[in-house]
Amino acid sequence: MVPADLRSEPSHAAPNAAGGRYPIIDAVRGGALLAMASYHSLWDVGYLRLTAENYALTPTGHRAAEAIAGTFLTLVGIGLVLMNGRGIRLRPTLMRLARIGGAALLVTIGTWFAFPDSYVFFGILHCIAVSSVLGLPFLFLPVPVTALAAAAIFAAPVLVHAPVLDAPVLYFLGLGAGTPRTNDYVPLFPWFGFVVTGILVGRLGLPWLARSRLGAWAPRSALGRVAAFAGRHSLVVYLVHQPVLLALFTGLVALTGPNPRAGVRAFRADYVTICTRTGGEPPLCRIAARCTSDALIQEDLFREDGRPFSPQERLRAQAVSQGCYGAIEAASRAPR
C-alpha cells in the first residue's frame, strides 16, 4: 500500500490563501507523506529481513496503511474542490490528470520489473487518477446526494456480490470475493468513497477555512516550511522516496546481514498448519514449532531466504524436526 498526492491548484485564491493555496492543507499533506514514508520504511526493513518479521503486514500495519491512504484520498477530494469548485478548469485538470496517470504508469512498469509476481496494477496513484475524473460531478450535485453517494460507495463491497466481479479485468473495482496479489491495491470501492467524502468536506468546510485564522496560517518554523514544501510537491516525493529508502536499507542489510530470526513467526505458523493436518495435536505442534525453529537457527539450518538445502542439510533438518516433536510427545505422555 501506498498513498500519493494531489497538488491543489485552486480556481480562485481564497482571501487568506497565500499564492492561491492554503499552506495548512499542504502541511497536512506533508504530514501524511511522513506517515507514508514511515510505513514504507517498516515494509522495506521487513521485506529485506532486517527485522524478525514484516510488521507492516500485521493487522496493526494494515490499519495504519489504510488510515494513511484514506487521508490522502480525502485530501484529493478537497483539492478537487479547490481546483474546480467554481467550474471545471479543463486545461489544468487535464495536465494534472496526465501527471498522475503518467506517474501511475511508471509505478506499474517499475514494479513489474522489481516484483513481477506482485506488481502494482491499481494502486493509490491509479485510484487517484480515476477518482479525479469520477469525482467531478460531485462538485456540483446537491450536498445530500454527494453524502448518500459516499455512503453507498463505502457500503458496496459488503452489499454487492456477483461472480462476474471476480474477473481479473474487474479487479480495479474491488467488488470481487478475492484479493489479487499486488504490493499496492487501492480499488475504487470503497476507496473512491474517501474522495467523495473529501469533496463533501471541501464544499462545506473551505468557506469556513477561508475566513478562519487557520486558513491564514503561514509556516514560520523549519518543520512547518518543510511539511508545506513536501505537500506542494507530494507527487515527486511519492515517486522518489521508495527507491531511495530501498537503496539505503539494501546497503544496510549488505553491511549487517539479515536478522537471524527473520521469518521465524511465519515458519512456526506453517509448521503448526502442516503438523495438525498430518494428525498432530495442536498444542504439541505449537511447542514443537518453537523447538524446531530454535534448533534450526542454532544449527545454522534456518532457510527463510529460500536458499536450498543440500541433501545432508535436509536430512539434518528433518532429524531436528522429528526429534523435537518426538521428545515433546513423549514428555506429554509420561506419567506425572
Side-chain angles (χ1 to χ4, degrees):
M1 153 223 43
V2 197
D5 138 79
L6 174 72
R7 294 182 62 182
S8 306
E9 298 180 33
S11 58
H12 64 287
N16 296 326
R21 304 182 67 100
Y22 288 103
I24 187 62
I25 294 178
D26 288 331
V28 170
R29 191 181 295 109
L33 282 168
L34 176 61
M36 175 195 67
S38 300
Y39 174 82
H40 283 167
S41 296
L42 191 65
W43 188 92
D44 291 343
V45 296
Y47 172 75
L48 294 170
R49 299 183 298 118
L50 281 164
T51 52
E53 64 177 291
N54 195 331
Y55 296 103
L57 302 181
T58 63
T60 300
H62 281 301
R63 286 193 290 271
E66 290 171 351
I68 295 167
T71 300
F72 272 101
L73 290 168
T74 302
L75 289 168
V76 167
I78 294 171
L80 286 174
V81 178
L82 281 167
M83 177 183 271
N84 295 304
R86 290 187 175 180
I88 303 299
R89 301 170 63 218
L90 187 59
R91 185 173 180 275
T93 298
L94 291 176
M95 290 180 62
R96 174 187 167 278
L97 187 62
R99 286 196 303 270
I100 296 176
L105 181 60
L106 286 176
V107 169
T108 295
I109 294 172
T111 55
W112 174 274
F113 286 103
F115 311 102
D117 294 331
S118 57
Y119 72 96
V120 177
F121 64 89
F122 204 84
I124 187 76
L125 284 179
H126 305 74
C127 185
I128 288 176
V130 176
S131 297
S132 295
V133 176
L134 298 179
L136 293 177
F138 295 101
L139 296 172
F140 311 106
L141 289 172
V143 166
V145 173
T146 302
L148 286 173
I153 294 166
F154 282 125
V158 177
L159 300 178
V160 177
H161 301 283
V164 68
L165 297 172
D166 289 316
V169 72
L170 298 178
Y171 279 160
F172 75 96
L173 292 176
L175 295 175
T179 300
R181 184 175 180 181
T182 175
N183 284 335
D184 185 23
Y185 183 49
V186 187
L188 288 177
F189 296 91
W191 295 100
F192 179 47
F194 285 99
V195 177
V196 178
T197 299
I199 291 172
L200 192 64
V201 170
R203 291 177 63 182
L204 297 176
L206 286 175
W208 168 84
L209 184 65
R211 299 188 300 270
S212 69
R213 293 179 61 184
L214 194 60
W217 175 82
R220 291 182 174 82
S221 67
L223 181 61
R225 288 194 296 271
V226 169
F229 178 83
R232 287 195 301 272
H233 304 283
S234 48
L235 183 58
V236 175
V237 174
Y238 176 78
L239 291 174
V240 169
H241 84 283
Q242 182 65 316
V244 171
L245 289 173
L246 274 172
L248 290 174
F249 290 125
T250 299
L252 180 60
V253 76
L255 294 174
T256 65
N259 188 302
R261 301 190 69 81
V264 168
R265 183 170 181 174
F267 171 87
R268 289 176 176 174
D270 290 341
Y271 186 106
V272 170
T273 299
I274 296 171
C275 178
T276 52
R277 283 178 181 172
T278 54
E281 298 179 16
L284 298 184
C285 288
R286 287 192 288 271
I287 299 171
R290 290 196 295 271
C291 170
T292 302
S293 61
D294 292 343
L296 290 175
I297 291 172
Q298 187 174 1
E299 295 288 330
D300 194 26
L301 290 172
F302 193 73
R303 291 289 189 271
E304 192 277 336
D305 59 357
R307 286 180 294 143
F309 283 125
S310 68
Q312 295 80 9
E313 288 175 331
R314 185 176 294 107
L315 289 174
R316 288 170 56 202
Q318 290 171 350
V320 165
S321 176
Q322 292 168 359
C324 275
Y325 188 84
I328 293 166
E329 185 177 38
S332 69
R333 293 176 178 175
R336 299 182 179 178

